[in-house]
Amino acid sequence: MDSPYPSSWYLAGEFVISAGSVLFRRSPEDPEKLQICLIYQRAKKEWLLPKGRKDCGESVELTAIRETYEETGYPCELLPCLMPTRAPEVGVNVKDAYRETRCTEPITISVRNQGDKGAKMTWWYISIIKGDGKKVEGTQMGSENFESEFIDADEALSRLTFKGDQAVAAQALAIVRKTLALDAAAASSSR
């Protein structure tokens, strides 16, 4: 018997798993403003979000952080944000349901059908600068040729070349702004 829900199946060798993140920091000039780090692919003249393929044995979360660091040069970590999820709490067996919680789950997954090459699945996360925020040179792989730049968040959305990247960044920005607003409200009420 077939499932009543439409499904696509890809066997090993017919898909690639990748991950990336929308990397945020507060503007050094105005800490009230957020910036997003974009990468510029020189050869194709494209503005992109950092992402790349998962290595064997690597978690998807680690892939997102590693690829973001490699392509931008900025050490980063996943940012716990208040976001919608259907993932249950650790060790809790509950009915599948939508809820909002502070977590570091993916904010979206894109699946690209690549014809004879199968499918490319990309898990997208929200990350933030880690440590002193200094850029490290020489982190890109030999085949990569990116420039990375932090840009005002609203401007970054329009600068991205592809609509898919624009949608991912817009969703991340909305989640981060909502989380920061709630954190600010909680901090002011506790004073």
Side-chain angles (χ1 to χ4, degrees):
M1 173 182 251
D2 286 333
S3 168
Y5 304 105
S7 302
S8 296
W9 295 84
Y10 298 97
L11 302 175
E14 295 177 340
F15 65 89
V16 63
I17 297 172
S18 65
S21 77
V22 181
L23 177 59
F24 286 91
R25 77 172 182 191
R26 291 190 183 272
S27 168
E29 294 80 35
D30 181 358
E32 294 298 311
K33 290 189 175 185
L34 292 171
Q35 295 180 325
I36 296 175
C37 189
L38 302 184
I39 56 174
Y40 182 68
Q41 213 288 353
R42 294 176 185 115
K44 296 180 180 179
K45 296 183 167 81
E46 297 171 341
W47 288 95
L48 310 165
L49 294 171
K51 71 177 179 311
R53 291 177 294 172
K54 181 179 113 37
D55 292 343
C56 287
E58 183 178 48
S59 73
V60 179
E61 296 86 353
L62 200 57
T63 301
I65 293 303
R66 177 183 55 76
E67 285 291 343
T68 300
Y69 172 63
E70 283 179 5
E71 292 185 354
T72 68
Y74 289 99
C76 59
E77 59 191 356
L78 296 181
L79 178 64
C81 288
L82 183 64
M83 70 175 77
T85 185
R86 290 173 49 184
E89 295 292 335
V90 175
V92 176
N93 186 8
V94 295
K95 184 177 178 176
D96 178 13
Y98 170 96
R99 66 190 180 92
E100 280 195 343
T101 189
R102 187 177 291 262
C103 60
T104 57
E105 291 296 307
I107 60 166
T108 193
I109 298 171
S110 62
V111 180
R112 182 183 306 153
N113 182 332
Q114 297 182 299
D116 293 343
K117 291 173 138 183
K120 180 178 184 178
M121 296 170 241
T122 305
W123 275 251
W124 291 100
Y125 293 85
I126 297 172
S127 63
I128 192 165
I129 289 289
K130 182 178 175 180
D132 63 9
K134 301 262 191 245
K135 185 173 183 173
V136 177
E137 297 299 331
T139 59
Q140 294 180 20
M141 303 296 279
S143 62
E144 296 173 328
N145 187 21
F146 300 118
E147 292 176 28
S148 62
E149 181 180 342
F150 272 99
I151 300 166
D152 175 72
D154 292 311
E155 181 185 335
L157 299 182
S158 62
R159 191 174 298 187
L160 284 160
T161 301
F162 299 106
K163 288 183 181 181
D165 283 359
Q166 291 171 356
V168 170
Q171 183 177 9
L173 182 57
I175 290 170
V176 170
R177 282 183 170 155
K178 179 179 180 179
T179 301
L180 292 176
L182 291 170
D183 289 351
S188 71
S189 70
S190 68
R191 290 182 197 155

